[in-house]
Amino acid sequence: MSAAERIEDLRRAAGSAVVESFFRGLSRVASLHPNARPERHGVIVERDIAYVDRPGPEHRLDVYRPVRDAQGPRPVVMYVHGGGFRILSKDTHWLMGLAFARRGYVVFNVDYRLAPRHPFPAALEDAGAALSWVTKNAHRWGGDPSRIVLAGESAGANIVAALTLACCYERDEPYAKRVFELGVVPVATLPACGIFQVSDVQRFARRKKGFPRFVMDRLEEVSHAYLGRDHTAYGTSLDLADPVCFLERAQAPARPLPPFFLPVGTRDPLLDDTRRLARAVSALGGEAITKIYPGEVHAFHAFVFRGAARRCWQEMLTFLDGKASASA
């Protein structure tokens, strides 16, 4: 690595530390609010359950289970957190588990190995292992393994989109083969404000004059951490890091794609990736509901005290309720 590259990496690391501190701090402060207590919403949380036989510290998930009576098993949400594949965790994303559980879903909020220590495809391998575990164990918490929703935001959106492809397309990668062999297709996939092509992040700057340097730093950091500086070594395996590129040239899947719900704000620099994914899914005959929220930034739906976030959650949950109940 050249001296210039080292300086660039240090500058990006400083900016990343600011972003991580902001989101961790926000999550911590929000968790102190009385309404953050799961018991106030009729939800029980069981934490740090291993989803592989020899777990590392990252191979854990939390279960959010509604306690009110239900007629039969409940639909399931497997949630994969964002953070540029590098930062944050299920603990910073407790809000997502609680929000879906309040609506009556059994939620499995998943941790996974983070880059750059564990680059692609480690996160996707872990998500596949978690899906296998959830499929086999959801019934223990009253969940219906035939009604699984895959959801995530930002980097987590990329992971759940790629995991959906592994459910629907036969692939050569061993971890993708294991997912396909489960015979499971989610009843819906909800990848919010995702980065759906991790390679070639310079496309954003080419498309928009004056693209903010701070944002480009974050995107380059994501790409370098997850894929390294040379993407060519991955060959066709790169398809599952760039799910939108794969879908844009894909043939019909072996199993039909599930419905996609794609929320994003107009001020999100990743907006075009959401539009591309919606077009690609639709071109293959799938259902892609795109909801674009004027003036909203990246991951705006996490700020639930705002009206746009509440509207987004209501629309997401209404969509999921229709898909989960239709599959019952």
Side-chain angles (χ1 to χ4, degrees), residues 152-170:
E153 100 291 339
S154 195
N158 174 291
I159 293 169
V160 299
L163 191 57
T164 300
L165 299 188
C167 290
C168 297
Y169 286 89
E170 292 190 78

Side-chain angles (χ1 to χ4, degrees), residues 4-241:
E5 287 175 334
R6 285 196 294 272
I7 291 170
E8 283 292 295
D9 283 351
L10 287 171
R11 183 167 59 80
R12 293 189 189 107
S16 179
V18 171
V19 172
E20 181 174 12
S21 296
F22 171 76
F23 280 108
R24 287 193 181 278
L26 182 66
S27 175
R28 243 182 248 115
V29 170
S31 69
L32 299 176
H33 193 283
N35 283 337
R37 297 174 186 166
E39 61 272 17
R40 293 192 65 157
H41 306 284
V43 173
I44 293 175
V45 183
E46 297 182 47
R47 302 189 186 279
D48 295 326
I49 299 168
Y51 60 80
V52 296
D53 290 337
R54 293 183 176 85
E58 306 94 340
H59 297 120
R60 312 275 174 179
L61 55 78
D62 296 341
V63 182
Y64 291 72
R65 177 172 62 87
V67 296
R68 65 180 183 270
D69 291 338
Q71 294 183 344
R74 297 178 182 276
V76 169
V77 170
M78 188 180 110
Y79 195 86
V80 181
H81 72 82
F85 307 102
R86 305 178 60 257
I87 60 174
L88 307 182
S89 69
K90 63 180 175 57
D91 298 324
T92 58
H93 285 64
W94 59 267
L95 172 65
M96 310 307 188
L98 182 58
F100 286 112
R102 284 181 60 188
R103 189 72 163 211
Y105 293 83
V106 179
V107 183
F108 297 88
N109 196 12
V110 176
D111 263 348
Y112 53 88
R113 287 172 293 167
L114 298 176
R117 183 178 180 184
H118 302 287
F120 174 80
L124 187 53
E125 288 177 341
D126 291 350
L131 178 60
S132 176
W133 187 93
V134 168
T135 300
K136 296 168 185 173
N137 291 278
H139 68 278
R140 295 166 51 193
W141 288 271
D144 182 352
S146 70
R147 291 186 289 159
I148 295 178
V149 172
L150 295 179
E153 100 291 339
S154 195
N158 174 291
I159 293 169
V160 299
L163 191 57
T164 300
L165 299 188
C167 290
C168 297
Y169 286 89
E170 292 190 78
R171 302 276 310 174
D172 291 333
E173 300 88 347
Y175 64 90
K177 281 181 178 291
R178 289 192 291 271
V179 170
F180 190 82
E181 287 168 359
L182 292 173
V184 171
V185 175
V187 296
T189 298
L190 201 165
C193 57
I195 178 167
F196 299 119
Q197 180 185 352
V198 184
S199 66
D200 187 27
V201 293
Q202 288 293 332
R203 68 188 184 277
F204 295 104
R206 292 195 300 269
R207 191 173 296 119
K208 183 178 180 181
K209 186 177 180 180
F211 192 83
R213 179 70 253 181
F214 181 82
V215 177
M216 182 52 66
D217 279 349
R218 305 286 72 72
L219 293 171
E220 288 177 343
E221 189 174 45
V222 166
S223 182
H224 293 165
Y226 198 48
L227 297 178
R229 293 178 182 275
D230 180 9
H231 306 155
T232 59
Y234 287 106
T236 58
S237 293
L238 194 63
D239 289 345
L240 295 181

